[in-house]
Amino acid sequence: MTADMYREYILQHYRSPRNYGRLENPDIVHEDDNPLCGDQVHIEVALDDQDRVADIRFQGKGCAISQASTSILTDKVKGKTLEEIKALTKDDVFQWLRIPISPMRVKCAVLGLMVLQAGIHHYEARRGR
Ligand code: FES
């Protein structure tokens, strides 16, 4: 795909985000914002009995990169274990986005991943792990 097609891919996720909304009985709930701009992401996760992501939803407000990257993230982590998600890095997010991310936009691109990983840490701390 060309850079233009990837830009269009991001805009599609921004306009029609996947897994948008709330869950009825989430195991993990977390939200945070990008302190530089105040844009927010709220993520809810339901786990199966092997601590894999059975379902995931998000809501948020912010720039196209932050909201699209969170939408893509929710698709990518379905079925993954918490350990696999904790091992994800900003480079994984950049690979999914496939457009150059300027230093100014790095926090936008990784906002969803940071919220999800923080939510996992809180969940594990509550369980004494
Ligand atoms: Fe706020 Fe991108 S400008 S997250």
Side-chain angles (χ1 to χ4, degrees):
M1 281 206 265
T2 65
D4 277 352
M5 289 164 83
Y6 277 110
R7 272 187 200 99
E8 184 53 37
Y9 170 67
I10 286 169
L11 284 175
Q12 277 174 12
H13 272 275
Y14 178 59
R15 292 188 198 113
S16 307
R18 314 287 194 276
N19 307 303
Y20 199 83
R22 302 270 174 139
L23 293 172
E24 246 174 54
N25 289 306
D27 296 293
I28 297 170
V29 177
H30 195 67
E31 72 177 51
D32 208 347
D33 56 30
N34 177 345
L36 300 178
C37 61
D39 291 349
Q40 293 173 327
V41 167
H42 173 102
I43 294 183
E44 299 186 352
V45 181
L47 299 171
D48 67 13
D49 54 8
Q50 294 182 332
D51 271 358
R52 289 180 186 276
V53 174
D55 208 354
I56 182 165
R57 294 282 186 280
F58 86 100
Q59 289 181 318
K61 66 173 181 65
C63 67
I65 298 275
S66 69
Q67 303 305 303
S69 63
T70 306
S71 170
I72 294 165
L73 172 77
T74 58
D75 268 348
K76 297 284 185 188
V77 299
K78 275 194 187 162
K80 285 200 188 301
T81 64
L82 298 184
E83 292 306 313
E84 288 171 328
I85 296 170
K86 285 193 295 184
L88 293 172
T89 68
K90 62 181 181 348
D91 291 328
D92 294 303
V93 177
F94 297 162
Q95 224 174 17
W96 299 336
L97 294 172
R98 299 278 182 96
I99 57 166
I101 300 295
S102 69
M104 292 285 292
R105 307 311 299 272
V106 171
K107 278 202 163 16
C108 308
V110 300
L111 179 59
L113 179 62
M114 295 299 106
V115 170
L116 179 55
Q117 289 178 329
I120 291 171
H121 287 300
H122 287 297
Y123 170 78
E124 290 183 331
R126 280 200 312 275
R127 287 186 154 50
R129 291 187 201 161

